[in-house]
Amino acid sequence: MYRKCEMLDAAKQVFDVMSEKNMVTWNAMLGVYAQNGYFNHVHSVVIKRSFTNNLFLNNALVDMYAKTRALKEPRKQFEHMKTRDNISWIAIIVGYVQEEEETDAFKMFNRMRLHGIVPNEVALASILSACENAKLLEAGL
């Protein structure tokens, strides 16, 4: 609600008093900061609180940066992650597809498969969208 109303301070107050924070709450808070243009502040909080190895937060950062349409940052964040899961891979692939960087999307999709990650429906839908964007429908077969 606070994100939709662009009420950063109110969102931060609620977030700070929460006893447990999960992927949803961190994503929501990162979204509030991102929506208000505080990308660096969000990332610095993660570093200051020593959450740099937290998979959930790293995934949220990749997703947040990918939505800014500046793919250098999410790729950098992705490459620095010590642990990745399906969500990590999907976030970076979706970012490339949204920016019509199909070649990079295909490369990341292949890397994901080489790492033993089985593509789920979201990954497959994204890569099919990249095929459509690139007019390479046969690559999606």
Side-chain angles (χ1 to χ4, degrees):
M1 173 186 80
Y2 291 123
R3 178 180 179 182
K4 290 180 182 179
C5 297
E6 297 182 13
M7 299 174 67
L8 176 62
D9 292 333
K12 186 177 178 338
Q13 287 176 354
V14 172
F15 183 78
D16 287 344
V17 298
M18 293 178 72
S19 60
E20 290 187 36
K21 296 169 179 85
N22 61 24
M23 179 67 165
V24 173
T25 55
W26 274 104
N27 263 334
M29 197 63 213
L30 290 172
V32 172
Y33 275 96
Q35 181 177 348
N36 288 283
Y38 294 104
F39 302 107
N40 292 332
H41 179 72
V42 172
H43 200 155
S44 67
V45 168
V46 170
I47 293 168
K48 285 178 188 175
R49 293 191 179 179
S50 300
F51 292 141
T52 54
N53 291 327
N54 185 302
L55 180 61
F56 296 123
L57 288 177
N58 281 314
N59 286 344
L61 286 169
V62 169
D63 184 57
M64 177 190 74
Y65 281 127
K67 289 177 180 173
T68 67
R69 305 194 179 280
L71 293 174
K72 180 180 175 185
E73 287 303 317
R75 179 65 178 261
K76 186 171 145 184
Q77 180 67 29
F78 180 85
E79 296 299 342
H80 282 101
M81 292 172 66
K82 292 179 180 169
T83 306
R84 297 182 192 110
D85 64 3
N86 210 350
I87 295 169
S88 316
W89 290 98
I90 290 169
I92 196 71
I93 291 167
V94 167
Y96 281 122
V97 172
Q98 288 175 341
E99 288 306 303
E100 298 182 359
E101 298 286 343
E102 289 81 17
T103 302
D104 287 322
F106 293 136
K107 287 178 184 176
M108 294 306 284
F109 185 79
N110 286 331
R111 269 184 68 191
M112 177 182 79
R113 292 180 38 233
L114 288 171
H115 279 86
I117 304 292
V118 177
N120 66 8
E121 298 84 14
V122 177
L124 292 172
S126 295
I127 209 64
L128 285 173
S129 181
C131 291
E132 182 180 17
N133 289 347
K135 305 291 186 235
L136 297 173
L137 295 177
E138 65 275 0
L141 299 176

